Amino acid sequence: MREAAFVKQNKEKWIAFEKAISMGSHTDPDALVDGYIQLTNDLAYAQTYYAESKTLLYLNSLASQAHQKIYRNKKESGNRIIEFWAKEFPLFFKQYHSTLGVAFLIFSVATAIGCISAINDSAFLRLILGDAYVNETLNNIAKGEPTAIYKSGGDLGMFFGITINNIKVGIFAFASGVISSIGTAYLLFRNGIMLGAFITFFYTKGVFFEANRQIWLHGTIEISVIIIAGCAGLIMGNSILFPKTFSRRVSFMKGAKDGLKVVVSTIPFFIIAGFIEGFITRYANMPNWLAFLIIGGSLFLIVYYYIIYPIVLNRSHERQIHRT
């Protein structure tokens, strides 16, 4: 590529990055690091093909400024954790809304397949859920308590056990992305099949409303966050399959880092889901309005934090940049 074409192709990106450096504390750290990685790639290209050129001098200077900006004063504020969930993560996650949509689609299609299969083949339920679970639930239904399984064990022990198990599932959904997106997609698909068969089981036994009212008390957050953890795995997996302008190694490192951020963001929600299941779900006799209030509030919390809030915050951030 001729130098003039190289400059024309990347000029706007360099100017935007130079402006980001000059913004000081208003700059998103992740955007700065991503821009720095792209800049160093361009610098390496210029060193190879445009030695002693003005372009190389400019990129060297810009890279030096960026390095000082990124690595100076590495002290973290006392509110770093709060800032991560309140601002840093939502600003960052907006770019992965389409990946979240793919994860949701995979899970939804699998759930539909699980429902249809369970309705048309009674043996499918035992294949997916296991004989022990099906037999125990049938006994509970006969006793008039279809979800009595959630009442077993102590509140606190159940809370810790469920929370730890859910976090493990989320981490595994993310880690499966290391073998490309196919690993995570398979895990999402398998869990969707299980959910479809699970809720259909209660439908076939005539206790659909009663069972689902109780299951979705904790399941709204639990299932949503498993999908979000799957999104994290797809982010890492896609970085291997689609490195774009990065080398595959650099792309994978970036994808793993971004996916890990998504997984970390889910931990508080897994704790909330564990708390609801351990301390609230077992109380089946609560009024319907209270159960639906908890379910609706849980759904709103997930949709707002992962979809609405990132959009609103990014628009506000863009307006702030334009005013600067």
Side-chain angles (χ1 to χ4, degrees):
M1 183 187 300
R2 292 188 176 184
E3 183 178 355
F6 176 70
V7 172
K8 183 178 180 181
Q9 178 179 310
N10 296 287
K11 182 179 179 181
E12 291 186 6
K13 178 178 65 177
W14 297 337
I15 292 174
F17 184 63
E18 189 172 11
K19 182 179 179 181
I21 293 174
S22 67
M23 286 179 61
S25 60
H26 296 292
T27 306
D28 177 23
D30 288 314
L32 191 64
V33 171
D34 291 343
Y36 180 67
I37 292 173
Q38 294 182 48
L39 178 66
T40 54
N41 285 340
D42 293 340
L43 176 60
Y45 187 89
Q47 287 172 332
T48 302
Y49 296 102
Y50 316 122
E52 307 300 328
S53 68
K54 291 183 179 180
T55 301
L56 179 59
L57 291 175
Y58 169 74
L59 292 177
N60 261 321
S61 174
L62 190 56
S64 177
Q65 294 177 51
H67 186 275
Q68 293 177 17
K69 175 73 178 179
I70 293 171
Y71 292 102
R72 75 180 180 183
N73 301 327
K74 297 186 72 174
K75 287 184 178 179
E76 300 286 359
S77 69
N79 295 325
R80 180 69 178 85
I81 295 177
I82 295 175
E83 288 176 1
F84 172 80
W85 270 283
K87 185 175 181 181
E88 180 181 332
F89 176 78
L91 279 171
F92 150 83
F93 189 64
K94 169 65 171 59
Q95 65 184 302
Y96 290 118
H97 273 179
S98 59
T99 308
L100 178 62
V102 171
F104 177 76
L105 181 63
I106 293 171
F107 192 89
S108 298
V109 169
T111 301
I113 292 173
C115 290
I116 295 170
S117 300
I119 289 175
N120 290 288
D121 183 2
S122 58
F124 183 78
L125 288 166
R126 292 185 176 274
L127 176 66
I128 297 298
L129 302 178
D131 288 332
Y133 180 84
V134 171
N135 291 336
E136 182 178 356
T137 303
L138 286 173
N139 290 332
N140 291 333
I141 291 173
K143 297 174 184 176
E145 294 184 305
T147 56
I149 194 169
Y150 293 114
K151 297 182 180 180
S152 59
D155 292 357
L156 190 61
M158 192 173 184
F159 162 64
F160 281 114
I162 290 167
T163 301
I164 292 172
N165 181 69
N166 287 343
I167 292 174
K168 286 181 179 178
V169 172
I171 292 175
F172 187 60
F174 164 62
S176 297
V178 79
I179 56 175
S180 82
S181 305
I182 297 172
T184 297
Y186 168 76
L187 191 68
L188 285 170
F189 196 82
R190 188 182 71 178
N191 278 276
I193 290 281
M194 291 177 65
L195 176 65
F198 181 66
I199 59 179
T200 302
F201 177 40
F202 292 106
Y203 171 78
T204 60
K205 300 304 175 184
V207 290
F208 180 81
F209 176 80
E210 180 183 352
N212 277 273
R213 185 194 67 164
Q214 194 165 355
I215 291 166
W216 289 103
L217 286 171
H218 62 273
T220 301
I221 292 180
E222 187 177 293
I223 296 300
S224 298
V225 179
I226 287 174
I227 294 172
I228 293 164
C231 169
L234 292 179
I235 290 171
M236 181 164 66
N238 289 344
S239 72
I240 300 172
L241 296 176
F242 312 109
K244 298 181 181 178
T245 59
F246 300 110
S247 68
R248 204 169 296 275
R249 181 182 65 83
V250 171
S251 177
F252 172 71
M253 291 174 63
K254 180 181 182 299
K257 176 188 172 186
D258 288 358
L260 185 59
K261 278 189 176 182
V262 177
V263 172
V264 170
S265 80
T266 65
I267 292 176
F269 295 96
F270 275 130
I271 293 173
I272 293 172
F275 177 84
I276 294 174
E277 187 169 353
F279 292 94
I280 298 176
T281 299
R282 63 180 60 231
Y283 300 110
N285 295 324
M286 70 173 65
N288 287 336
W289 67 265
L290 180 57
F292 290 126
L293 180 64
I294 295 172
I295 293 170
S298 298
L299 181 61
F300 175 79
L301 177 64
I302 291 294
V303 172
Y304 180 78
Y305 184 73
Y306 283 98
I307 299 176
I308 299 174
Y309 184 51
I311 293 173
V312 172
L313 198 60
N314 270 271
R315 287 177 179 172
S316 174
H317 189 64
E318 288 173 3
R319 287 195 294 268
Q320 183 180 359
I321 291 175
H322 291 153
R323 289 197 298 265
T324 303

